Amino acid sequence: MQTFTQRADVRAFTTAARQTRQRVGFVPTMGALHAGHLDLVRRAVAACDMVVTSIFVNPRQFNNPADLAAYPRVPDADAALLAEAGCHALFLPDAAEMYPAVPQTTLSFGSLETVLEGAHRPGHFAGVGLVVAKLLHLVAPHAAWFGQKDLQQVAVIRQLVRDLDFDVALEVAPTTREPDGLAMSSRNRRLSPQERAVAPTLYRALDVTRTALLRGATVAAAQAAGQEVLAAEPAFQVEYLEVVDANTLQALPPDEGLPPTETAVVVAAHLGAVRLIDNVVLPPALS
Ligand code: AMP
């Protein structure tokens, strides 16, 4: 596996691959790789001739400086995992390389940005959108892989690609979980043993909400059932547990049941100093 730290070098590498008619796949990450990331890489390797993974802890998408400072960085271990997964190139720029000048361009995403992660993390999606747009221009992949774990991010990037005509196929992979249900996340490394032990409650709350909806409960009743699960665990500071349209991320009418469109149950909560998010997606109700 080759490692590039310079924008010009990764651009030259994928330009050459495209010129020899190779299909280029791309997996953007912030590193501290786990099995969820590696699943994305393996999917890309299976579908493409040349796969680039980027590792860049993007300062512009952190609204909390303490979270940025504490974000785990283990590039050597990550590189070994990527090579083992069959990745062909690692793009590992530093912040000065990605942002040689302070960017003056701002992206915004309309109603997608006013809810959930957008509402709780001001500026987060502007930062995500900017770095993903830059990375897609630099790598120019035929296809790029993202995780359903970050459902709202997928919706934002889908909108970015559609509105700005990026010539890339977006592929979304299901969330990889620990055996106890906890969604894999680089931030899980920062949980204390006690916090790690209660963390799967987050998924249990999603599951209780999902089951209630599938049994015909209203959105409000199902949401209350999930919130009750979280309330029973005092270690959590819950930001939200909501039932939303899986594509627009907008809240569903509280007094109705599952709609004839895809629904998501989404949750965000702090466990000590660590903020965790998760979601499950339900198929459209049968009519
Ligand atoms: P991150 O390094 O957290 O920015 O994540 C990089 C990519 O991996 C994003 O597309 C995430 O949605 C995806 N990802 C993170 N955690 C998981 C997981 N547990 N399962 C599947 N994909 C994931």
Side-chain angles (χ1 to χ4, degrees):
M1 187 179 71
Q2 301 197 50
T3 298
F4 303 108
T5 58
Q6 306 297 303
R7 288 169 296 157
D9 293 341
V10 75
R11 198 198 285 274
F13 179 76
T14 58
T15 301
R18 286 182 82 102
Q19 279 166 354
T20 55
R21 308 189 72 80
Q22 296 188 74
R23 186 168 174 81
V24 178
F26 179 47
V27 183
T29 82
M30 298 202 298
L33 302 180
H34 51 64
H37 295 117
L38 297 174
D39 179 57
L40 301 186
V41 173
R42 291 202 183 91
R43 285 168 189 263
V45 167
C48 296
D49 306 302
M50 186 61 72
V51 172
V52 179
T53 299
S54 63
I55 295 179
F56 178 56
V57 183
N58 175 31
R60 301 190 71 84
Q61 72 187 68
F62 283 79
N63 56 315
N64 176 351
D67 188 29
L68 173 62
Y71 203 86
R73 291 164 172 87
V74 286
D76 294 343
D78 286 346
L81 289 170
L82 288 174
E84 204 178 294
C87 182
H88 303 91
L90 166 60
F91 180 43
L92 185 68
D94 64 16
E97 175 64 16
M98 280 304 277
Y99 302 115
V102 177
Q104 302 297 321
T105 302
T106 309
L107 293 167
S108 61
F109 299 96
S111 59
L112 271 181
E113 221 177 356
T114 58
V115 294
L116 308 174
E117 292 303 279
H120 285 87
R121 302 185 65 186
H124 171 64
F125 287 122
V128 169
L130 191 69
V131 81
V132 170
K134 284 170 70 80
L135 289 167
L136 289 176
H137 281 309
L138 290 168
V139 177
H142 295 91
W145 274 259
F146 295 88
Q148 186 206 296
K149 159 82 170 28
D150 298 282
L151 186 70
Q152 194 169 3
Q153 173 171 284
V154 168
V156 161
I157 293 167
R158 215 184 275 294
Q159 182 171 297
L160 175 81
V161 163
R162 190 189 59 217
D163 286 353
L164 299 187
D165 282 317
F166 279 87
D167 188 15
V168 63
L170 293 188
E171 304 288 348
V172 181
T175 301
T176 303
R177 299 183 178 280
E178 301 285 357
D180 59 14
L182 177 64
M184 290 195 178
S185 164
S186 304
R187 291 185 173 88
N188 293 352
R189 294 179 187 226
R190 295 175 46 214
L191 297 172
S192 70
Q194 293 81 357
E195 289 163 352
R196 174 63 188 83
V198 298
T201 307
L202 219 49
Y203 179 61
R204 230 168 20 86
L206 293 178
D207 195 38
V208 163
T209 312
R210 166 171 57 189
T211 304
L213 286 166
L214 291 172
R215 288 186 179 153
T218 63
V219 162
Q223 189 175 347
Q227 283 165 343
E228 204 174 303
V229 173
L230 291 177
E233 184 44 73
F236 284 112
Q237 275 176 284
V238 181
E239 283 193 354
Y240 59 79
L241 182 148
E242 284 193 39
V243 180
V244 300
D245 180 287
N247 293 301
T248 67
L249 281 301
Q250 306 302 307
L252 293 177
D255 298 330
E256 295 176 18
L258 276 181
T261 49
E262 268 192 331
T263 295
V265 188
V266 291
V267 68
H270 290 267
L271 202 45
V274 183
R275 185 174 182 278
L276 298 174
I277 60 169
D278 198 357
N279 70 83
V280 292
V281 174
L282 291 81
L286 295 175
S287 52

